[in-house]
Amino acid sequence: MSGENPSADDVQSADDVQQVWDVVVVGAGPAGASAAYAAAVAGRRVLLLEKAELPRYKTCGGGIIGPSRDALPPGFELPFKDRVFAVTFSNNGRFSRTRRSRRMMFGLINRPEFDQQLVEHAQKAGAELRTGVTVQRVEQHGSAVPDRRTVAVVLQGGETVLARAVVGADGSASRIGAHVGVKLDQVDLGLEAEIPVPDTVAEDWKGRVLIDWGPMPGSYGWVFPKGDTLTVGVISARGEGAATKRYLEDFVARLGLAGFEPSVSSGHLTRCRADDSPLSRGRVIVCGDAAGLLEPWTREGISFALRSGRLAGEWAVRIAEAHDAVDARRQALNYAFAIKAGLGVEMSIGKRMLAAFERRPGLFHAVLTGFRPAWNAFRDITRGSTSLGELVRTHPFAQRALTLLDRGQATPVTSDAPGAVDDSEETEGAEASAAPGASGAQGAPGAPKD
């Protein structure tokens, strides 16, 4: 690649000297791969940059809920390791109860395989992939930038890649996010272990996940079965590192899994954007973790990555076509509006839910396990037939319940509440137990299958 940095006076177009990509996407996770696919399928020249070699491990529970499924490229075959028909809830290891569904609620994947398939779809659409490259910075002014329609992506080692638009999807510690000026409002620490288990243990967990409300405010743990491996993790606010580690150790021991050696133990910081955080700067936009886009209460990020990535790719095409800074700015603002009108609304409600959950985890446990409309709402959200925002917007009882939670008041638990969702297709299958833990021996047997 040429090392020259010609000015607009030297040549008519930077394309004459050095290839200028329509869209450069930094980061090949779900957000970046989705952005690259969306831009490439529109017929644009797209370069996808990834610092790691693929496939690569990512700390993540790997739950694919309805909104994630609906945001995937056409023809994408999900590599499910298990399908979830039942959820066991416990409150710090106590009062475990299992709720069941006749139809699958969500699926479980391994991130290396899932991410690789997303990248392959982007490549089939025409995107070019380069791995093992680290982006040092982006420049929108200066000697590396040949004209005002171009962004320079400077790689480690000094190589410069030119683009008409750049999408930052380089994770929660994003260099592109720093360039844009992303501001964070909530940072959490997730710890996770991938634990291989014998067939007898794996069979007991098949089709069922565990969600445990944890001992620290806002914390919870999970067990996600994936064939012969259980993904076991916990998450809580950053600053509670020792307590979070102790929670994971106690959680694993309570489950009866302490005797099994994890194949992978990892940690990861999740970061939520502040409400006034920017999503663009000039011809550079951010999505997914790089933008701080995830659900604040559950910290679910895959659906936010896929959805924001697709939008970023679509709007990056428009930014690339913009002939001046004013038009580029207009398109970037339209992208920000699209994000805030959809994902932003969900995040706002999620923040309210997290604040209420931090105060009253026991109430949340009682409502989810004992109040049928709450379980129906959880089921429908995971399936993708509704969203938290849609429920609050359309159901008066949900609006009233959230308002009461905002005020720190308990909501009445009655099965005939207004706005209740029909549960006719569900088998409750609930099992109340005050026994500590929710291990295979103490929990529910396998859930019904397709």
Side-chain angles (χ1 to χ4, degrees):
M1 186 171 291
S2 171
E4 298 179 19
N5 295 307
S7 67
D9 295 330
D10 296 326
V11 291
Q12 287 187 331
S13 168
D15 301 50
D16 296 334
V17 176
Q18 178 179 340
Q19 181 178 18
V20 179
W21 298 89
D22 292 319
V23 178
V24 168
V25 181
V26 183
S34 294
Y37 174 85
V41 83
R44 299 304 183 268
R45 293 171 296 175
V46 180
L47 177 62
L48 178 58
L49 301 175
E50 168 59 43
K51 67 180 179 180
E53 297 296 339
L54 300 177
R56 47 93 176 99
Y57 182 79
K58 169 75 174 177
T59 303
C60 178
I64 300 296
I65 59 176
S68 298
R69 178 202 62 225
D70 295 341
L72 292 168
F76 190 94
E77 293 291 334
L78 278 160
F80 285 143
K81 298 301 179 183
D82 203 347
R83 291 169 167 79
V84 176
F85 292 83
V87 182
T88 297
F89 297 97
S90 62
N91 189 8
N92 198 19
R94 299 177 299 165
F95 313 116
S96 66
R97 190 171 187 183
T98 298
R99 303 298 301 256
R100 306 182 191 282
S101 169
R102 287 177 181 159
R103 291 194 294 147
M104 185 184 88
M105 291 187 293
F106 59 98
L108 302 173
I109 51 90
N110 284 329
R111 280 290 301 276
E113 184 180 2
F114 176 70
D115 291 10
Q116 178 70 35
Q117 284 189 213
L118 284 172
V119 169
E120 289 172 357
H121 266 70
Q123 290 177 287
K124 289 175 183 177
E128 184 173 318
L129 171 69
R130 284 185 62 185
T131 60
V133 292
T134 299
V135 172
Q136 292 287 72
R137 64 187 184 278
V138 292
E139 297 181 5
Q140 301 194 63
H141 306 282
S143 61
V145 183
D147 59 62
R148 294 182 180 180
R149 289 189 60 212
T150 307
V151 180
V153 180
V154 182
L155 308 182
Q156 191 173 59
E159 181 185 349
T160 298
V161 176
L162 301 180
R164 297 299 183 205
V166 172
V167 176
D170 49 335
S172 60
S174 169
R175 290 181 184 270
I176 312 303
H179 172 81
V180 167
V182 172
K183 295 187 288 185
L184 305 172
D185 190 43
Q186 174 188 329
V187 183
D188 297 288
L189 170 64
L191 300 177
E192 192 171 76
E194 303 284 352
I195 304 177
V197 294
D199 291 344
T200 53
V201 176
E203 182 63 28
D204 187 60
W205 283 98
K206 191 173 182 180
R208 177 174 64 94
V209 301
L210 167 65
I211 297 175
D212 177 72
W213 315 119
M216 297 90 73
S219 67
Y220 75 96
W222 62 89
V223 179
F224 285 178
K226 299 170 185 176
D228 60 358
T229 299
L230 300 179
T231 298
V232 182
V234 300
I235 195 165
S236 66
R238 185 177 66 172
E240 298 283 348
T244 305
K245 183 179 179 181
R246 186 164 53 250
Y247 175 31
L248 178 59
E249 291 170 349
D250 292 345
F251 188 41
V252 170
R254 234 175 20 231
L255 293 166
L257 301 173
F260 302 113
E261 185 70 23
S263 58
V264 179
S265 294
S266 62
H268 180 66
L269 291 176
T270 65
R271 296 174 168 92
C272 272
R273 68 187 296 272
D275 290 337
D276 61 346
S277 179
L279 290 164
S280 68
R281 179 180 173 184
R283 290 176 176 269
V284 179
I285 59 179
V286 287
C287 60
D289 285 345
L293 293 169
L294 71 157
E295 204 288 305
W297 176 31
T298 64
R299 291 80 153 188
E300 190 276 324
I302 295 178
S303 75
F304 279 70
L306 292 169
R307 289 180 285 172
S308 66
R310 183 178 62 185
L311 288 171
E314 292 169 352
W315 288 104
V317 168
R318 295 172 172 86
I319 293 170
E321 294 170 345
H323 289 285
D324 55 45
V326 173
D327 191 19
R329 176 63 175 163
R330 183 184 302 115
Q331 302 303 336
L333 288 174
N334 286 337
Y335 165 68
F337 178 79
I339 291 292
K340 292 174 183 178
L343 301 181
V345 171
E346 293 182 36
M347 290 185 71
S348 177
I349 296 174
K351 288 179 180 180
R352 294 167 67 185
M353 294 289 287
L354 175 63
F357 172 65
E358 288 175 338
R359 293 192 303 267
R360 303 290 298 276
L363 174 62
F364 272 73
H365 181 69
V367 169
L368 268 174
T369 58
F371 184 38
R372 181 172 292 177
W375 163 250
N376 291 347
F378 177 91
R379 173 208 66 191
D380 291 344
I381 289 170
T382 59
R383 283 182 184 160
S385 57
T386 189
S387 68
L388 197 54
E390 183 71 15
L391 279 174
V392 172
R393 184 167 58 251
T394 59
H395 289 275
F397 179 76
Q399 297 171 9
R400 179 168 172 261
L402 189 56
T403 299
L404 291 172
L405 286 171
D406 284 341
R407 297 171 182 169
Q409 302 177 30
T411 54
V413 180
T414 58
S415 59
D416 58 351
V421 184
D422 178 31
D423 195 39
S424 59
E425 64 177 49
E426 299 300 313
T427 54
E428 183 173 342
E431 302 169 1
S433 172
S439 68
Q442 295 164 327
K449 302 298 178 283
D450 286 325

